[in-house]
Amino acid sequence: MPRAPKATVKSAPVSAHAPVHYRVTPADVHAHHWHVVLKLTRPAATQRLQLPVWIPGSYMVREFSKHLQGLECRQAGRLCGLIQVDKATWDVQADPDQVLEISYTVYALDNSVRSAWLDSARGFFNATSLCLMAQGFEDGPQLLEVLPAPAHPSWQLATGLPAQRVDRRGFGVYRAADYDELADCPVEMGNFWSAEFSACGVVHRFVVAGALPSFDGERLLRDTQKICEAAIRFWHGAAARAADVPSASYTFLLNAVDDNYGGLEHRNSTALIAARRDLPRLGEAKTSEGYTTLLGLISHEYFHTWNVKRLRPAAFTRYDYTRENYSDLLWFFEGFTSYYDDLLLRRAALIDDAAYVRLLNKTINQVLQAPGRKVQSVAQASFDAWVKYYRQDENTPNATISYYQKGALVAMCIDLTLRREGSATLDDVMRALWKRCQGGPMQEADVLAVLQSLSGRSWAKEIKAWVHGTGELPLRPLLESQDILVYEDPAQPAQRLGLRVTETAGVLRIKTVLHGSAAQRAGLCAGDEWLGVELPSGGWRIHKLDELGAILGPARRCVALISRDKQLLRLPLALPARVTTWRLAAGSRAPTAWPA
Ligand SMILES: [Zn+2]
C-alpha cells in the first residue's frame, strides 16, 4: 500500500549561483521524453559538452547519446554555432560573458537501473543519461532542478542528492559538489511507497515503486535494517556510531516489476529492480527463495557503499566517462561483495545455516559447470568485463568466468584458509584494507600486504593460483575443514550432455554447447532445435531435456534428431558414463564459528 511521506521540507542555505545548472522536466510522459535545459553562466569560448558512454558500476559502453535529440544552444535568445565532434561530444561557439543555455530532449524507455525511464506511472534517471558534462566545470558544483509533471500532481521525488531548496514532495533544486556526485545519485519519481528507519543512528529511506497491494513494507524495512546494521558493524565494529558510517544518510530505490532483477551501487543510495512476487507479502511469515534473493541483492548493493564506492580500484580514482575504464580487480570488489552479501544475511539471522549452504552450493556448481574457468582467470575476466561479462552470448560460459561467482569462492578460500591456520579471518582483512587505504583507492599489492601482516606469511602463491590462474580452487578440503561435506550426485541431463537450453512453448532449443562436452562431440550447435531421439527400438519426440532420462534409461547411445536452419540432421550421441554435481551438507561435528 502506498503510504504518505513524512511532511518535512528539506532545505539548506541557498548559496551563490553555481556555474552549472540543469533543469530537468518530465516533458511528455507518453513520448517518454525528458526535457533538459543546461545553463552555464561563464561558458568557454569553445565550450565542449559530452554525454557519458557508461555508468560506473556497470562496465559496458552503453552509448547513452543515442537517445539525445534536438540539441540547441542559445545566448540572449540567439542560436550559437554547434559542431558535433563525435558520437557523444559537441563544441559550442559562445561568448564567455553571456549565459549559455543548452536545451535538448532525452528519450527514456529503459526499464533498468542503468539509464532512464519515463511513462505515466513513474520517472527515473541517472544523470549519466540526462546531464551533458560541461568540460572545465566537472569539478565544481552542479545544481539539479527537477520539475514535477503537471498531469501528475501526486508524484513524489526521491534521490540521495543533497537538497538545496525542495518542496514537501521532493521537487526543486538539489546540489551536487561535482559531476561525479551528480552522476552517482539516481532520481526516482512517481506515486511510490516510502518509509524510513534508522541503522546505528543513520537515517535510511526505502522507496518502492510498483508494489502490489499485498506488499509487506514493514517486513522489508525490518529485514533491511538488520542487513544495514550487520554491514555497519562489520566495517566499524559492534559499537559503531553514525559518525563512523561513510554516508550521512542512505536511500534504497526499488522498482518492482513483473520480471526483472538487478541493482546498481551508489555512494549513498542504490537503484534496485526486482520481481513483484519476490517482495514480502502481508500475512506471510515464511522467507521465500525469491525474497531471500532480494535480501541478498539489498545486502550486496549496501556492502558496496564501502567496497567499491570508497575502497575502490586505483584505476577508478577518477572516472573517465567517455571510454572504458579497465580494472583487473573486479574479482575483489564484486567477488568479495558477493561472498559477504549472503554471509551477512546469515549473520543477521535472516537465513539459517542450511539456507546459507544451499546458496553457497549454487555458486560452487555455477563455477564448476563453466568451462570458461579453465580459459580465463578472474583477474583477466575483470579486465575483459566490458566485452565479455557484460556482452554475454552463447559462448560466454566457454570463454570467461564470472568474477562475481569465482571471486566469491576466492574470498571463501582465503577466509577458510585463514580460519584453518587460526591467524585471522577475512573480516579482519577487509577492515585492515579499509584502514590501510583510508577508505580510498586500492591495489592488489594492498591485499597481499594486509594478508601477510595478519597471517605472518606470504600469500603470493595463493593469489597467483586462485586469482591469476585457471586451476581448480581447493574448495573441498577447505569446506571439510568447516565440517561441510561434499557429495557428488549424478548430474541432470543438461549437465551430463554439456548443454544449456530453453524450453518454451514445447520447443527445446539449444542455447549453449559447453566446451569439451558430449553434446559438442556429437556436433550439436547453439540455436539448434532438438526434435527427438532415435534408439534401435524406435524414435521419440521430446519437448523437454528432462524427458531424455525416461526415454534412454541406462542406454548410453542414441541419435539426436535436430532441426538447424530448417534442415534435419541425425547426430549420433554418446553419453558419458558418469557426470556429477556437488551437493553440500553440514556434518555432525559441533557448529563452527563460520558461517554464523
Ligand atoms: Zn556488485
Side-chain angles (χ1 to χ4, degrees), residues 203-205 247 249-252 266 268-270 301-302 305:
V203 175
H204 290 64
R205 184 182 188 191
S247 71
S249 66
Y250 193 89
T251 307
F252 292 91
H266 299 285
N268 67 347
S269 66
T270 178
E301 303 306 343
Y302 193 71
T305 309

Side-chain angles (χ1 to χ4, degrees), residues 300 304 334 404:
H300 182 96
H304 272 318
E334 289 300 346
Y404 286 85

